[in-house]
Amino acid sequence: MKILIIGYMHPKLDKRVSRTVSSLSKSHEIIYQYWTDREEKKYQDGNITYIPIKYTKGTKGNPLRKLLNRRALDKIICDLIKNEDYDILYMHHFLASRPLEPFKIAKKRNKKIVYDIHEYHPENFLAELPAIIGDLKTAVLWHLFKKQLKLSDLAIFVSGETRNDVIDKVGITKDKTFIMPNYANFILKPDIQKKQKEIVLVGKVTRKIEDEKKLLNILINKGFSFKVIGMDSQEFDDIPHASTSFLPYNEMMEELSKAAFSLISYNTVKDRHYKNDIFALPHKYYDSIAAGTPVIVKESFISMAKQVEELGIGLVINPSNTEQSIEKIQKAYENYETILKNIEKYQKYFVWSQEKEQEFLKIIEL
């Protein structure tokens, strides 16, 4: 069976996208389109034909201007979907300027369509638009998103909460869906001897942590340190911290494993009820537990907060309640060994495995 995987604007080694490529290539022929900002040529390696498509990110202008600049890129990908020989179209995003066309092309060709939904698209797409225009955009995106899902044979979500919320709004049946969180690659068993009294923030995208900065400054005065893994930004200039540049995955995990806590509390946009955050199970969450590091999770992040409380693998805070949050963090540090034991007990659920891969392959091949 041949599978055309559209990575769209994801780079070749994006963890979630490359995992699907690697897993599916074990028993199927793969055509893999990915984004690059360099001159690269199409090539084949084993069961995988790699099709790089060059595009320069960071185009200046407002969001709508950036959207218009995607038209040439999106046409190339539509032509690929129209002309390549494949049995399954696997979409890792929709095309910004042609959101329905790939689905319609594949459906007209009687191909199976798998839609891997990394984010809560109606809110996440062009999230930086002003409020009034943003509300109109969200309404339009819901209309398009519903059509995309109706045309798809299988929709893959990162969390049950996202899936259930979308089902309630769109009306697709649960048997057309599958949950595949952003699992980590491997486990590092917790080692209390290696732990530093440090709180880390992981990620390559800058997040707003205005409420959290108050907590961090107090905790720094109480003997904790703060480190940002994978980036530095002016966003953190007003708080004492160390930082690293972007690290390869193995190095990032090793750095993360040394920390006492991983902070997963932030605002991506001004809206504190932004569903792309509250229903998310991001890579940094799974990587933290897999690295043996307890998490500090914002209570409004429903999907993560529920798991953290049920499994005892960290703590849940309301960052705007400074006094209560500081008390919770200090108490967690006093009971640190118990939390590490819970993490070691449940780590296997946070890591990609042969069993999870077989379950994924089975649902794709149905």
Side-chain angles (χ1 to χ4, degrees), residues 200-356:
V200 297
L201 179 70
V202 185
K204 58 185 178 181
V205 177
T206 302
R207 311 287 186 180
K208 298 290 185 182
I209 56 167
E210 291 307 315
D211 292 334
E212 292 77 11
K213 283 179 183 178
K214 298 174 186 176
L215 303 177
L216 290 167
N217 276 314
I218 294 172
L219 290 166
I220 288 167
N221 288 332
K222 291 180 179 292
F224 282 89
S225 60
F226 175 53
K227 179 182 283 185
V228 182
I229 299 177
M231 63 172 167
D232 200 3
S233 166
Q234 293 181 349
E235 176 67 27
F236 311 113
D237 283 353
D238 55 349
I239 182 170
H241 73 283
S243 66
T244 76
S245 58
F246 177 78
L247 298 176
Y249 185 77
N250 289 13
E251 293 180 31
M252 180 277 293
M253 288 289 282
E254 186 63 34
E255 195 73 25
L256 182 52
S257 71
K258 300 172 187 175
F261 296 104
S262 174
L263 180 67
I264 308 179
S265 179
Y266 47 77
N267 296 313
T268 304
V269 297
K270 291 181 180 180
D271 182 3
R272 302 299 176 98
H273 303 288
Y274 181 52
K275 289 184 178 179
N276 200 50
D277 285 341
I278 67 175
F279 290 156
L281 291 173
H283 292 289
K284 60 177 68 68
Y285 173 59
Y286 277 78
D287 290 339
S288 297
I289 303 304
T293 298
V295 290
I296 301 172
V297 170
K298 190 175 183 177
E299 67 177 12
S300 61
F301 292 176
I302 297 169
S303 297
M304 286 181 278
K306 183 171 70 172
Q307 283 189 354
V308 169
E309 291 185 328
E310 286 177 354
L311 304 180
I313 53 177
L315 62 147
V316 176
I317 64 167
N318 174 0
S320 63
N321 189 329
T322 305
E323 186 176 338
Q324 183 190 68
S325 297
I326 293 294
E327 185 179 335
K328 281 188 172 185
I329 294 168
Q330 288 181 308
K331 187 175 180 180
Y333 196 64
E334 290 169 6
N335 297 294
Y336 197 70
E337 194 168 346
T338 300
I339 300 175
L340 289 189
K341 286 179 180 177
N342 288 337
I343 284 180
E344 189 166 2
K345 180 179 178 181
Y346 294 112
Q347 275 181 309
K348 63 182 179 181
Y349 299 112
F350 290 79
V351 177
W352 188 244
S353 65
Q354 187 174 356
E355 292 75 21
K356 294 184 180 78

Side-chain angles (χ1 to χ4, degrees), residues 117 120 142 145 149 155-175 177-179 275 279 302-303 306:
I117 301 157
Y120 199 97
W142 266 117
F145 193 35
L149 289 166
I156 299 178
F157 295 92
V158 297
S159 75
E161 287 78 13
T162 301
R163 188 264 306 275
N164 295 339
D165 193 67
V166 170
I167 283 177
D168 288 344
K169 288 183 170 63
V170 174
I172 59 172
T173 58
K174 191 173 283 190
D175 62 356
T177 68
F178 182 68
I179 307 300
K275 289 184 178 179
F279 290 156
I302 297 169
S303 297
K306 183 171 70 172

Side-chain angles (χ1 to χ4, degrees), residues 2-8 10 16-25 28-35 47-51 53 77 80-81 84-86 88-93 114 116 118 360 364:
K2 289 185 178 181
I3 304 174
L4 173 59
I5 297 179
I6 301 298
Y8 194 40
H10 293 95
R16 186 176 181 90
V17 179
S18 63
R19 175 171 290 156
T20 63
V21 172
S22 174
S23 296
L24 292 167
S25 69
H28 303 291
E29 187 176 340
I30 303 299
I31 306 162
Y32 174 32
Q33 174 273 316
Y34 64 90
W35 166 81
N47 275 350
I48 308 171
T49 299
Y50 292 91
I51 302 180
I53 295 184
I77 296 175
L80 189 68
I81 295 167
E84 283 290 339
D85 177 28
Y86 58 90
I88 297 175
L89 173 65
Y90 194 119
M91 297 288 294
H92 272 286
H93 204 281
V114 177
D116 197 322
H118 301 202
F360 169 65
I364 296 296

Side-chain angles (χ1 to χ4, degrees), residues 62-73:
N62 63 44
L64 295 177
R65 172 58 60 185
K66 293 179 182 179
L67 176 60
L68 291 174
N69 288 334
R70 292 274 184 93
R71 288 180 297 180
L73 169 70

Side-chain angles (χ1 to χ4, degrees), residues 42-191:
K42 174 181 175 180
Y43 71 99
Q44 185 164 350
D45 184 8
N47 275 350
I48 308 171
T49 299
Y50 292 91
I51 302 180
I53 295 184
K54 184 181 178 182
Y55 178 82
T56 303
K57 292 186 178 181
T59 306
K60 292 183 178 180
N62 63 44
L64 295 177
R65 172 58 60 185
K66 293 179 182 179
L67 176 60
L68 291 174
N69 288 334
R70 292 274 184 93
R71 288 180 297 180
L73 169 70
D74 293 353
K75 184 181 184 304
I76 293 171
I77 296 175
C78 281
D79 289 343
L80 189 68
I81 295 167
K82 187 182 298 181
N83 297 320
E84 283 290 339
D85 177 28
Y86 58 90
D87 302 291
I88 297 175
L89 173 65
Y90 194 119
M91 297 288 294
H92 272 286
H93 204 281
F94 63 87
L95 307 190
S97 70
R98 301 175 181 223
L100 291 177
E101 192 165 342
F103 298 85
K104 289 180 176 179
I105 293 170
K107 188 59 66 177
K108 188 175 181 179
R109 296 184 66 190
N110 294 315
K111 309 300 184 183
K112 180 177 179 179
I113 302 171
V114 177
Y115 192 11
D116 197 322
I117 301 157
H118 301 202
E119 294 94 14
Y120 199 97
H121 287 320
E123 289 192 6
N124 179 66
F125 183 67
L126 297 179
E128 68 272 31
L129 286 172
I132 296 175
I133 301 175
D135 289 344
L136 177 60
K137 176 271 303 185
T138 300
V140 170
L141 254 292
W142 266 117
H143 176 71
L144 294 171
F145 193 35
K146 183 175 182 178
K147 287 189 174 183
Q148 290 168 347
L149 289 166
K150 294 288 186 182
L151 288 167
S152 300
D153 297 284
L154 177 68
I156 299 178
F157 295 92
V158 297
S159 75
E161 287 78 13
T162 301
R163 188 264 306 275
N164 295 339
D165 193 67
V166 170
I167 283 177
D168 288 344
K169 288 183 170 63
V170 174
I172 59 172
T173 58
K174 191 173 283 190
D175 62 356
K176 286 183 61 176
T177 68
F178 182 68
I179 307 300
M180 189 170 79
N182 291 309
Y183 295 111
N185 288 356
F186 56 80
I187 286 173
L188 296 174
K189 288 191 175 182
D191 184 353

